[in-house]
Each structure stands twice: as structure tokens, then as C-alpha cells.
């Protein structure tokens, strides 16, 4: 049954600005539970895919353009105006004659962030939140002073800068090479002009203000999460850009459940899983009913290729196990013997490339890929176990401790965990990067990799890569300590990785205890 759509409803904000919204409803849909979607990406493009299944399933939907986008008044100030506007919008919806008794907040990515921004101050009519591939401090993981993720926020800034122009999708597809060239621009504060033909306030902001800057205070809602009293179902992906923050939010949320699949940020599986959560979890709550019982945590365990249920994140029954780097490129549980460090040269003019993994850019392949060409580079070290005698099951937070020294005082350490199959193909599982000051002194560098759920099969090998970059996912380290916005000098660095009894570099994996029972398979896998 085709829904009816009321266009351009005027929603007043407390400062007099008017935002526009569309209402989607089945015939005679007045009084049905409302699903509210607040988006900066427009009320036409892809909206039917987002709300169509929900309207067919028993909701009416309100889709609003956030401030300064697609006809809504005011200026678009990304991330920093969503709390007041969101609360005003919820209040407006509740007062409408077609509103019944309940509402659910819904959406992926930025659309999920708009939910976290208001989640601790909602009226009783809001019965559930369903944020997907999102977190409560959306930009801040990218802007760490010890690991600036260039590609995603820069590419997003370019995208929203052109999204209201004609032929937007074609522009982005054809502009992929131009964007990649722009990311190499020095100084970076000119890269927005290279990509857009003009300056972007948002791109300038991400270059100047790092995670700790007061500038982002109104975009940081981490402190609100513990005060949420509304049930939350959050959907994520093992190769999603927001996963670490999403898992942090899940652990802090009092009434929440979690689903994580083998997905990248834009994978269709995310949207399908999130729609299922809206209909199976949120809609019953909106109707005053109890949703079907399910474990709090449902994870897709890669390598095993199965959904399994767990009681918590991180799950019980997994203990940290150190796999040490050894001379000769070996990885083993035994501590290392005396050995000379391994070395490589990092040249930011020819930076170690990002290959697959956690990526979000037009025309870029994300997720698990063949790492053969990457591992053949002279600026990438690899350490590999012998073939495994039994399965090794890893579920939880992954980190590495790398004893490292550079010829320059500023450097990065990138660590990637891979699965090497019987055919010799090396496939990435998870990775992370940490920037180092005083890198010309031997430093124990802790690198936080993306969390994972993965079974390394018997006969496969576990591999660790160590390098000094993954460009353009992360900004290349020029080695000079200059501010990232204005750096222009690139210096070649000679790097050393130590693996001896006093400096035992290792990756630390949460491995299932042989004495622990295996978590049960999900009864209704997605």
C-alpha cells in the first residue's frame, strides 16, 4: 500500500528558525507510532529506502532536514546545533493532531548522532532509540592529536559542500581522483579549495581544532549517555568508522542491546539490520508491548561466519594473550630472545598506503582485502605465526605494544592484524594507528586497534603488520611536528621496531579460554 507524503511541514525552533519536514504515513495512519528521522542529506534522496519498510511495518514517519540543509532555515553548522533543534522537533511532533501516543528516533551515521544529542532529555512519549553506525561524539575519534584521520572527515566535508548542487552523485563519482589529489595538498588548509573550488568552514575547523578543543564541546554528547532512560538498540559493523565509540556508548547506556555485523559503514546489511531492530524491538515498545527476548549482544563472528549471542561487551570467557614479535618475522606466544631491532624507512612523499579496512570515501574499497601488495613494500614489516594447530577465537578489544624508535622526534606507528589462509593470501582483520612525540627515544607505543570477533582457523596463520602510515585514511606524518593545517615540509624517517627481552613488542588478543563454554549461536541470525 503506497504511503501518502505531506511535504514541507514547517517546524519552528526556539530561535525563530524554521526547519522543513516531510510526513510519511499509510492511509488512515493518524495515531500510529511515529518514527523521527533527522538528516542533513535531504528529504528525497534514498528516503524511501530508509523509511519505506518502517511505514509498511506499522509506523508513520517524520523526516526532517537539519538546520541549513535542503530548504531548512539557518546555517548548517555540522554537529554543533543538533541538541536544541532535536529537542524542539520532538516537542513539535508530540503536539501534532496526527500524533498518537509514542515516538521512536531512528537513523544511521549523522542520523544516529542526532539521537545521541538529545537522548538524555526526551519526553515520555519517546519509547526507543535505534542509532546505527554512529556514536555520541561523531567527529572526535578522527581528530585525535595522536592520530588524525584525514580521509573521512575531509571527504564528508567535500560531500556536504556539493550535495545540493545538480548531479551530486555524478559529481562525487567523477571527482574521486580530484579528491585524492586534494588530500596530498600542502599545506592542508588549502586542500578544501583544491577539492571544492572554495573554502569550507567545516574542513578548516577539523584541521585547526583537535579532539580536546573547546570548539567541539557542543558536538560531544558522551557525558549524556549514562543518563539515558530510553531503551536503545544500536547496530554497527566490524569495519565501520565509528565502531570504537559506538561500543563505548553501548557499555555506558543503561538499557541497550547491540548488533555488530561484518559490515563497512555504507553496507546495505546495516540498513537491513537496523530496519529489523526498528520493527522487532522499537515498534513493540511504541505499542506498549515487550519485544521478543534476545541476548543483549549479537555478533557476527568472522572466520567462523556465524552469528552468536553474548551477555555483554566485551564478552566473558576471553583472556588477553600476548603474541610477541620475534626476529626473522616470526610471531609467537613465547617471549622474544635477544635480537637486533628491525628497521624500515618511511617517506611521507611516498606514504604507506591505506588498503581496505576502515574506509569511507567514494570509489574506495573498504573492509577485508588482499594485503599481498601492501606487505611487499619495503616500509611494511610483517610477523607471522606458524600454521595454527587449532582454531584461535578472538572476540573483544585488540591492542598492540610496540617498542619503537625513529630518527625523527615525530612519527606514527600503524599496526594491522591479518589472517593468512592456506593459499598464502593475507586478509586484514583490524588495525589502528598512534602518533608518537619524542619518537627519537625508544618508546613503548600502545596502539588501539579496532575491536573484532574473528576465528583464525586451524592451518591458517596469524600475521601482524607494523608500518608508519595508512594514507589517506590517516594523515601522513611529516616528521617535523608542524601543525597539521599548515605543515609543508616532509622529512624521511628511519624507523626501528624492537623485540628483545627488555623490549618485548607484542599484539594483545582477547582469546577464548579453552575452559570457557562456547557462546550460543543466534537463534534468528540476520
Amino acid at each position: 500500500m503506497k504511503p501518502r507524503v505531506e511535504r514541507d511541514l514547517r517546524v519552528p525552533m526556539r530561535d525563530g528558525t524554521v526547519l522543513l519536514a516531510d510526513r510519511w504515513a499509510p492511509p488512515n495512519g493518524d495515531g500510529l507510532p511515529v518514527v523521527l528521522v533527522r538528516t542533513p542529506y535531504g528529504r528525497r534522496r534514498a528516503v524511501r529506502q530508509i523509511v519505506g519498510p518502517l511505514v509498511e511495518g506499522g509506523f508513520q514517519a517524520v523526516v526532517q532536514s537539519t538546520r541549513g540543509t535542503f530548504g531548512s532555515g539557518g546555517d548548517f553548522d555540522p554537529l554543533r546545533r543538533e541538541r536544541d533543534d532535536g529537542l524542539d522537533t520532538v516537542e513539535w511532533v508530540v503536539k501534532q493532531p496526527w500524533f498518537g501516543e509514542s515516538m521512536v528516533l531512528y537513523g544511521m551515521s549523522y542520523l544516529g548522532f542526532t539521537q545521541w544529542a538529545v537522548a538524555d532529555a526526551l519526553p515520555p512519549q519517546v519509547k526507543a532509540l535505534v542509532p546505527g553506525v554512529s556514536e555520541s561524539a561523531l567527529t572526535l575519534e578522527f581528530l585525535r592529536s595522536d592520530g588524525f584521520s584525514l580521509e573521512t572527515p575531509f571527504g564528508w566535508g567535500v560531500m556536504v559542500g556539493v550535495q545540493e548542487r545538480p548531479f551530486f552523485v555524478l559529481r562525487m563519482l567523477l571527482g574521486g581522483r580530484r579528491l585524492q589529489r586534494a588530500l596530498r595538498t600542502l599545506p592542508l588548509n588549502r586542500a578544501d579549495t583544491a577539492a571544492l573550488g572554495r573554502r569550507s568552514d567545516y574542513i578548516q575547523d577539523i584541521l585547526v581544532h583537535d579532539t580536546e578543543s573547546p570548539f567541539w564541546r557542543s558536538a560531544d554528547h558522551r557525558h549524556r549517555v549514562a543518563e539515558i532512560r530510553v531503551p536503545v538498540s544500536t547496530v554497527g559493523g566490524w569495519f565501520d568508522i565509528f565502531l570504537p565509540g559506538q561500543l563505548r556508548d553501548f557499555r555506558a547506556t543503561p538499557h541497550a542491546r547491540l548488533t555488530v555485523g561484518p559490515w563497512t559503514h555504507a553496507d546495505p546489511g546495516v540498513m537491513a539490520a537496523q530496519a529489523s531492530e526498528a520493527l522487532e524491538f522499537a515498534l513493540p515498545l511504541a505499542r506498549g508491548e515487550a519485544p521478543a527476548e534476545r541476548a543483549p549482544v549479537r555478533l557476527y563472528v568472522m572466520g567462523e561466519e556465524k552469528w552468536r549471542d553474548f551477555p555483554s561487551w566485551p564478552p566473558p570467557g576471553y583472556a588477553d594473550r600476548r603474541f610477541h614479535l620475534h626476529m626473522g618475522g616470526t610471531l609467537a606466544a613465547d617471549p622474544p630472545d635477544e635480537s637486533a631491532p628491525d628497521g624500515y624507512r618511511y617517506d611521507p612523499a611516498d606514504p604507506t598506503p591505506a588498503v581496505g579496512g576502515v574506509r569511507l570515501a567514494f570509489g574506495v574499497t573498504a573492509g577485508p582485502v588482499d594485503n599481498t601488495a601492501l606487505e611487499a613494500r619495503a616500509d611494511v614489516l610483517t610477523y607471522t605465526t606458524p600454521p595454527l594447530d587449532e582454531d584461535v577465537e578472538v572476540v573483544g578489544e585488540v591492542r598492540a605494544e610496540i617498542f619503537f624508535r625513529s630518527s625523527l622526534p615525530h612519527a606514527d606507528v600503524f599496526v594491522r592484524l591479518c589472517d593468512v589462509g592456506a593459499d598464502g593470501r593475507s586478509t586484514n582483520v583490524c588495525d589502528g594507528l598512534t602518533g608518537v612525540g619524542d619518537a627519537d627515544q625508544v618508546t613503548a607505543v600502545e596502539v588501539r586497534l579496532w575491536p573484532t570477533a574473528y576465528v583464525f582457523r586451524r592451518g591458517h596463520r596469524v600475521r601482524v603488520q607494523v608500518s608508519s602510515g595508512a594514507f589517506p585514511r590517516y594523515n601522513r606524518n611529516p616528521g617535523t611536528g608542524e601543525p597539521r593545517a599548515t605543515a609543508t615540509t616532509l622529512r624521511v624517517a628511519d624507523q626501528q621496531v624492537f623485540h628483545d627481552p627488555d623490549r618485548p613488542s607484542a599484539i594483545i588478543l582477547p582469546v577464548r579460554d579453552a575452559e570457557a563454554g562456547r557462546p550460543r549461536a543466534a537463534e534468528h541470525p540476520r
Side-chain angles (χ1 to χ4, degrees):
M1 188 176 297
K2 186 175 180 180
R4 56 191 174 92
V5 184
E6 298 176 55
R7 302 286 188 188
D8 298 335
L9 303 178
R10 296 173 62 82
V11 185
M13 300 293 103
R14 66 189 65 185
D15 65 350
T17 301
V18 173
L19 309 188
L20 299 185
D22 296 343
R23 176 184 171 229
W24 293 61
N28 303 316
D30 289 9
L32 289 177
V34 171
V35 61
L36 173 63
V37 177
R38 303 190 62 247
T39 174
Y41 305 126
R43 288 164 287 123
R44 305 294 192 271
R45 187 186 307 134
V47 167
R48 183 174 295 276
Q49 294 97 302
I50 295 172
V51 303
L54 308 186
V55 173
E56 292 174 6
F59 284 103
Q60 55 178 321
V62 173
V63 182
Q64 182 191 63
S65 291
T66 56
R67 180 179 292 254
T69 67
F70 293 90
S72 285
D75 297 322
F76 183 40
D77 186 5
L79 306 167
R80 301 199 307 153
R81 298 297 299 268
E82 303 309 343
R83 182 168 174 84
D84 287 351
D85 287 355
L87 292 174
D88 290 349
T89 300
V90 169
E91 181 180 358
W92 177 85
V93 170
V94 168
K95 293 177 180 178
Q96 300 313 299
W98 37 260
F99 182 76
E101 298 179 349
S102 61
M103 184 189 324
V104 169
L105 309 189
Y106 181 85
M108 297 167 53
S109 194
Y110 196 108
L111 289 61
F113 173 78
T114 65
Q115 300 173 54
W116 291 115
V118 300
D120 66 326
L122 294 168
Q125 291 90 343
V126 178
K127 304 301 183 182
L129 276 62
V130 189
V133 288
S134 188
E135 60 127 315
S136 60
L138 204 67
T139 294
L140 301 190
E141 168 66 26
F142 302 128
L143 308 184
R144 291 168 24 221
S145 59
D146 65 345
F148 176 46
S149 297
L150 173 64
E151 181 178 62
T152 294
F154 185 93
W156 187 81
V158 170
M159 183 193 76
V160 297
V162 301
Q163 66 174 349
E164 297 193 48
R165 297 181 187 177
F167 310 110
F168 156 70
V169 174
L170 182 62
R171 286 176 183 272
M172 291 302 297
L173 290 172
L174 296 179
R177 290 185 179 179
R178 182 180 183 184
L179 174 61
Q180 294 300 312
R181 288 196 300 270
L183 293 171
R184 289 181 171 268
T185 299
L186 291 178
L188 273 174
N189 62 8
R190 297 180 183 174
D192 52 353
T193 302
L196 283 167
R198 58 178 176 79
R199 288 175 69 83
S200 158
D201 290 343
Y202 172 75
I203 290 175
Q204 293 298 318
D205 289 339
I206 65 170
L207 293 175
V208 173
H209 303 289
D210 67 17
T211 301
E212 304 304 323
S213 171
F215 179 84
W216 297 113
R217 191 167 295 144
S218 59
D220 183 359
H221 303 288
R222 289 175 291 184
H223 61 291
R224 307 187 192 282
V225 174
E227 302 303 317
I228 295 173
R229 297 296 177 261
V230 179
V232 176
S233 181
T234 181
V235 176
W238 292 125
F239 297 97
D240 177 47
I241 54 178
F242 298 122
L243 181 63
Q246 182 175 14
L247 294 176
R248 178 203 65 230
D249 288 340
F250 169 74
R251 294 181 70 180
T253 305
H255 310 286
R257 72 186 201 180
L258 169 72
T259 304
V260 185
W263 304 312
T264 61
H265 187 72
D267 194 298
V270 176
M271 185 177 294
Q274 195 177 10
S276 294
E277 287 302 294
L279 296 173
E280 298 170 13
F281 172 80
L283 184 57
L285 290 169
R287 290 172 170 169
E289 305 165 359
E293 285 290 330
R294 201 206 81 173
V297 175
R298 178 163 290 173
L299 307 178
Y300 187 88
V301 181
M302 299 177 291
E304 186 180 48
E305 315 309 335
K306 290 183 179 178
W307 288 97
R308 297 228 301 271
D309 285 345
F310 298 83
S312 63
W313 177 270
Y318 294 82
D320 283 350
R321 184 185 300 178
R322 294 178 69 90
F323 288 77
H324 291 98
L325 281 54
H326 288 252
M327 63 180 175
T330 300
L331 186 70
D334 297 333
D337 297 323
E338 287 290 347
S339 60
D342 293 322
Y344 60 95
R345 174 163 287 191
Y346 174 73
D347 182 359
D350 179 25
T352 316
V355 175
V358 180
R359 310 282 300 278
L360 179 63
F362 273 81
V364 168
T365 300
V369 298
D370 186 349
N371 280 242
T372 301
L374 177 63
E375 293 173 355
R377 288 180 59 104
D379 56 1
V380 178
L381 302 177
T382 61
Y383 302 85
T384 312
T385 66
L388 299 172
D389 295 330
E390 59 184 12
D391 290 355
V392 175
E393 183 176 309
V394 175
V395 182
E397 307 285 342
V398 180
R399 69 187 194 280
E401 184 181 35
I402 305 298
F403 288 84
F404 176 85
R405 181 169 63 197
S406 174
S407 60
L408 299 176
H410 301 277
D412 291 339
V413 178
F414 179 79
V415 178
R416 168 168 277 189
L417 176 67
C418 294
D419 179 6
V420 182
D423 60 358
R425 175 187 169 108
S426 177
T427 302
N428 51 292
V429 175
C430 59
D431 50 45
L433 177 142
T434 297
V436 189
D438 297 324
D440 50 353
Q441 308 295 319
V442 177
T443 304
V445 182
E446 180 160 326
V447 181
R448 185 189 67 180
L449 283 69
W450 249 234
T452 196
Y454 199 94
V455 174
F456 294 86
R457 288 298 198 181
R458 183 169 64 89
H460 286 217
R461 293 176 289 159
V462 180
R463 176 169 291 170
V464 171
Q465 299 175 12
V466 181
S467 63
S468 285
F471 180 81
R473 174 183 166 191
Y474 294 98
N475 187 40
R476 51 189 168 172
N477 194 319
T480 62
E482 296 176 90
R484 62 192 178 210
T486 56
T488 56
T489 302
L490 302 177
R491 296 181 63 188
V492 175
D494 291 309
Q495 323 289 49
Q496 291 180 305
V497 173
F498 295 82
H499 38 67
D500 56 56
D502 294 328
R503 294 165 292 193
S505 295
I507 191 165
I508 298 97
L509 303 179
V511 176
R512 187 170 69 89
D513 189 334
E515 302 300 320
R518 176 181 283 272
R520 65 183 177 89
E523 295 177 2
H524 302 286
R526 301 199 177 279

